[in-house]
Amino acid sequence: MLNPIIPHTDEITQIKVPLPFPLRWVNAYLVRGSRGYTVIDPGLHTPDAEALWQQALQELGIAYEHIEQIVLTHHHPDHYGMAGWFQARTGAPVLLSETGLRQVRLMWNGEQPMSALLLELFARHGLPQAALEEMTKHMASFVELVSPQPEVTLLREGHVRLGDRVYEAIETPGHAAGHLVFYDAEAETIFCGDHVLPQISPNVSFLPQVEDNPLGAYLRSLADMAALKVKMAYPGHREPWSGFSARAEELVRHHHERLALMEDQLSAPLSAYEVCRATFGERLSIHQLRFALSETIAHLVLLEADGRIRQLALDNGVHRFVRR
Ligand SMILES: [Zn+2]
Ligand SMILES: [Zn+2]
């Protein structure tokens, strides 16, 4: 990676924290203020990420005691994973939404109840047995990448101070339930996490016991975002860019096109797994398959809620869907 430490303004520095996935890096941001630094989304906890943070803090002349708070847009491991590491060194509070914290507990505490819930969901939607077994191991592998886990201070919608400026924390569900973006209306800048990304279509997953219709929630919150005035957006992946509102609108169109495509595929009954393979192809890693299948289910849930498709009775324990 070219230089991973990129100053954007007097206050805002982007840190590209490495990821062992095709995404390659997650953007953390340091926001400087008179009371210290805010770290937004510190990254996935790996030895490479630790090394980069040590290098970045040293180059920027920031001591651990200068870190005032760690603020999370959402609970996904590539954003949340280093929060506990930072808290152990700085004693700083880690701020996350209540819905985010609930999912952290479902995913990584104790017996990791989300793993069992997800596997049961995937089995009902036709994922073959061999993939189910691989998926179990894959999900367990994330625990060490988010450990040690921080003590969380709840962050609610409303005002939040990052550095010396007050931002509006706006709940933006869809990519993740409880996702927050931080918007500065005066400067027309936004830290948008993974809600809107340039070039990449953020994953929208159906997860048991989290949100009934995540894609419906996503399309609504994208419409809200498209109405904001934004000159510069700081995303969770790729590079900061200026076309935020247009991109939010483009993502809405993208999902409507995909919904129409899936609806067409269902002129004959198919399981979500079969729709997933037809849409995303056969060459997926287990990591990609997990997100592709959850995303397919999210689309089918919306089509069913809108009365465009219906679910057939279980056949060998698997649901099939067909166009109305
Ligand atoms: Zn995410
Ligand atoms: Zn991410």
Side-chain angles (χ1 to χ4, degrees):
M1 202 187 303
L2 296 168
N3 188 3
I5 304 163
I6 304 157
H8 285 276
T9 68
D10 280 352
E11 287 92 28
I12 299 170
T13 302
Q14 174 191 8
I15 312 285
K16 294 178 172 179
V17 184
L19 289 177
F21 312 131
L23 275 175
R24 288 174 42 226
W25 80 84
V26 57
N27 292 319
Y29 296 96
L30 277 167
V31 185
R32 189 168 61 88
S34 47
R35 283 177 256 192
Y37 287 84
T38 294
V39 179
I40 301 177
D41 291 351
L44 186 75
H45 193 184
T46 65
D48 287 351
E50 271 188 35
L52 174 66
W53 269 115
Q54 276 156 351
Q55 178 202 339
L57 296 180
Q58 194 180 25
E59 275 183 29
L60 298 166
I62 302 171
Y64 287 125
E65 56 267 31
H66 298 151
I67 306 285
E68 185 195 359
Q69 56 181 357
I70 296 119
V71 176
L72 302 172
T73 58
H74 64 303
H75 70 285
H76 286 166
D78 52 329
H79 301 251
Y80 164 87
M82 287 288 282
W85 182 90
F86 260 100
Q87 189 173 62
R89 279 153 187 79
T90 61
V94 169
L95 278 63
L96 174 66
S97 72
E98 191 170 2
T99 306
L101 178 60
R102 193 165 71 78
Q103 291 172 91
V104 160
R105 291 182 173 146
L106 275 172
M107 291 176 82
W108 302 305
N109 281 15
E111 297 284 296
Q112 302 168 54
M114 182 55 87
S115 294
L117 290 169
L118 257 186
L119 291 175
E120 193 216 351
L121 175 83
F122 287 166
R124 258 191 293 124
H125 286 291
L127 186 69
Q129 187 59 37
L132 282 169
E133 282 161 24
E134 209 183 330
M135 200 80 79
T136 311
K137 279 188 229 141
H138 173 68
M139 287 192 286
S141 72
F142 274 90
V143 175
E144 67 169 332
L145 302 172
V146 299
S147 298
Q149 295 204 52
E151 191 178 311
V152 164
T153 302
L154 291 184
L155 175 55
R156 299 181 202 286
E157 267 204 307
H159 294 130
V160 60
R161 187 179 50 76
L162 308 175
D164 289 332
R165 300 185 70 86
V166 175
Y167 288 70
E168 201 183 331
I170 309 172
E171 200 155 333
T172 42
H175 168 73
H179 187 292
L180 294 167
V181 297
F182 308 117
Y183 177 56
D184 179 343
E186 194 187 286
E188 298 182 1
T189 57
I190 192 165
F191 292 100
C192 54
D194 289 353
H195 185 62
V196 177
L197 294 173
Q199 294 117 22
I200 308 169
S201 171
N203 171 254
V204 179
S205 280
F206 178 85
L207 297 171
Q209 297 187 9
V210 174
E211 184 127 41
D212 291 343
N213 184 350
L215 184 57
Y218 190 49
L219 294 174
R220 280 192 298 278
S221 56
L222 282 176
D224 293 345
M225 289 297 102
L228 294 181
K229 285 185 87 170
V230 175
K231 276 195 207 130
M232 184 53 82
Y234 296 100
H237 303 277
R238 302 293 175 106
E239 301 292 350
W241 87 115
S242 58
F244 179 82
S245 310
R247 180 65 182 148
E249 286 171 358
E250 198 172 79
L251 287 169
V252 171
R253 285 196 299 276
H254 163 77
H255 285 291
H256 282 302
E257 281 165 20
R258 181 154 278 170
L259 285 163
L261 215 76
M262 289 186 179
E263 188 183 4
D264 283 348
Q265 285 167 15
L266 291 169
S267 50
L270 294 174
S271 69
Y273 178 70
E274 289 164 330
V275 175
C276 171
R277 285 301 189 186
T279 308
F280 295 98
E282 296 292 332
R283 295 173 44 160
L284 299 173
S285 67
I286 196 74
H287 184 74
Q288 291 165 326
L289 178 58
R290 172 180 157 196
F291 291 107
L293 183 53
S294 303
E295 175 133 2
T296 303
I297 298 169
H299 282 75
L300 298 180
V301 162
L302 186 147
L303 286 172
E304 195 185 8
D306 284 357
R308 293 162 64 178
I309 63 170
R310 67 191 168 87
Q311 213 170 126
L312 301 176
L314 279 176
D315 172 17
N316 272 332
V318 174
H319 279 297
R320 287 191 166 69
F321 297 85
V322 71
R323 204 173 162 161
R324 275 191 190 270

